[in-house]
Amino acid sequence: MDEGRLMEFVGRFVGDLGATMGAGGVVVGDRLGLYKALAGGRLRPHELAERTGTAVRYVEEWLRGQAAGGYVEYDAASGSYWLTEEQAFALTDPDGPIFVPGAFQLALGALKADEEITKAFRTGDGMGWHEHDGEVFAGCERFFRPGYSANLVGAWLPALEGVVERLRAGIRVADVGCGHGASTLLMARAFPNSTFTGSDYHAGSIEAARKQAGEAAGRVRFEVASAQDFGGGPYDLVTTFDALHDMGDPLGAARHVRERLAPDGTWMIVEPAAGESVADNLNPVGRVYYAFSAFLCVPNALSQEGGYALGAQAGEEPVRRLAAEAGFSRFRRVAETPFNLVYEARP
């Protein structure tokens, strides 16, 4: 045995264990407003506790762990803690382009299904999205919405051929697998002349989406429906955001999109960033997506009819093949970020 390699692995394990437990600390800090209070300036533990209505001994231990993990800064001379501008940017603004607590909320919610997923590994059965803890649904929206806010209206839609001009003039849009409606409402608020229908098979998510519609409610409709049977149309634009790989029958969904799409319409497919092979995905982003996929995406797909389980790291080629089999004649990658790939499919 190579002792150096062993200790290297142990070091990796210690870092992972600290990150695993640290996830809980991030979620607690978000829920109690601890990060937001620290963003206002340097505070000692008792001052932070007073500002947030929390118990000082808990806050003291929380701050020490956060400082050890690099999520909070510490000055030994004064005993005070604070956030840098960059830490505050990532930890305190749920509407910003990066919001770390939402990702940890999703992860902790997914891990609550560890017993059910262990059983599924043995039996090969699935576990539906609707069977997960409620933190999964809320965390998913808080995890993905910042990326959509940063890219959807300003970069992804303009990358599609002629779509922004049509949205401004007024068209019909279907957002399939919309969850809590973050993507649907971002588009609706940016393009007030167009009408939008968001659909998802999970009734609880649709209920949450309807509550968030606000001033856009007159131009947005949310319905409980699967990707294989959503109604309406013909649509000029159909979108699927980080949803196609979760489906047990993505080919059936693609065919239904093709049926509901206008002859000159566009299907925008947003999927997790992934390379073309397993080796291409052996990196930090791939690790995150494979882990989520084993707990959420593959079990959900296996719980449905269809026989597919693409997983979150399927890559471009399987999506291209699905589009072609469904009757789309044109397909291209139009945009990408460190976390997403964006495709355009046309009849």
Side-chain angles (χ1 to χ4, degrees), residues 243-259:
L244 189 67
H245 67 273
D246 291 301
M247 300 174 189
D249 185 13
L251 179 56
R255 286 173 172 161
H256 190 63
V257 169
R258 179 67 182 84
E259 292 169 0

Side-chain angles (χ1 to χ4, degrees), residues 72-335:
V72 164
E73 302 301 305
Y74 172 61
D75 177 55
S78 64
S80 61
Y81 298 81
W82 73 98
L83 296 182
T84 65
E85 183 179 353
E86 294 76 19
Q87 289 165 338
F89 181 82
L91 290 166
T92 65
D93 184 4
D95 297 316
I98 300 174
F99 185 60
V100 170
F104 284 120
Q105 182 182 1
L106 172 59
L108 291 180
L111 290 174
K112 291 179 182 179
D114 63 310
E115 290 188 13
E116 291 82 357
I117 297 301
T118 300
K119 294 176 185 175
F121 266 70
R122 293 193 177 102
T123 64
D125 295 335
M127 179 178 179
W129 180 259
H130 62 282
E131 298 179 82
H132 281 278
D133 186 86
E135 291 297 302
V136 168
F137 317 132
C140 188
E141 192 233 354
R142 298 180 89 210
F143 175 41
F144 284 110
R145 178 160 48 87
Y148 299 161
S149 296
N151 297 290
L152 174 52
V153 173
W156 295 348
L157 288 170
L160 304 174
E161 184 181 342
V163 166
V164 166
E165 291 79 4
R166 300 183 71 188
L167 283 165
R168 288 172 179 157
I171 58 174
R172 287 178 288 186
V173 181
D175 188 14
V176 179
C178 69
H180 283 197
S183 51
T184 322
L185 294 172
L186 280 168
M187 292 188 289
R189 288 164 182 154
F191 301 102
N193 291 330
S194 292
T195 58
F196 298 81
T197 300
S199 61
D200 199 286
Y201 97 93
H202 182 232
S205 290
I206 289 299
E207 181 181 354
R210 288 169 177 161
K211 291 179 180 178
Q212 296 186 55
E215 77 284 356
R219 297 178 293 102
V220 179
R221 182 173 64 88
F222 290 105
E223 65 174 13
V224 178
S226 75
Q228 294 78 25
D229 63 12
F230 67 90
Y235 294 104
D236 304 287
L237 174 65
V238 175
T239 59
T240 51
F241 292 90
D242 291 291
L244 189 67
H245 67 273
D246 291 301
M247 300 174 189
D249 185 13
L251 179 56
R255 286 173 172 161
H256 190 63
V257 169
R258 179 67 182 84
E259 292 169 0
R260 295 288 174 176
L261 200 64
D264 60 347
T266 300
W267 181 21
M268 181 170 75
I269 309 157
V270 179
E271 283 288 290
E276 294 304 315
S277 69
V278 172
D280 292 334
N281 298 324
L282 300 184
N283 52 60
V285 172
R287 185 188 188 196
V288 168
Y289 279 136
Y290 278 130
F292 275 125
S293 190
F295 267 73
L296 297 172
C297 311
V298 168
N300 184 62
L302 292 176
S303 74
Q304 302 172 2
E305 295 182 2
Y308 278 85
L310 289 174
Q313 292 288 271
E316 179 173 336
E317 193 53 37
V319 180
R320 181 188 298 274
R321 288 198 302 269
L322 282 170
E325 289 183 49
F328 290 88
S329 63
R330 289 172 286 173
F331 181 94
R332 65 186 180 110
R333 184 193 298 191
V334 297

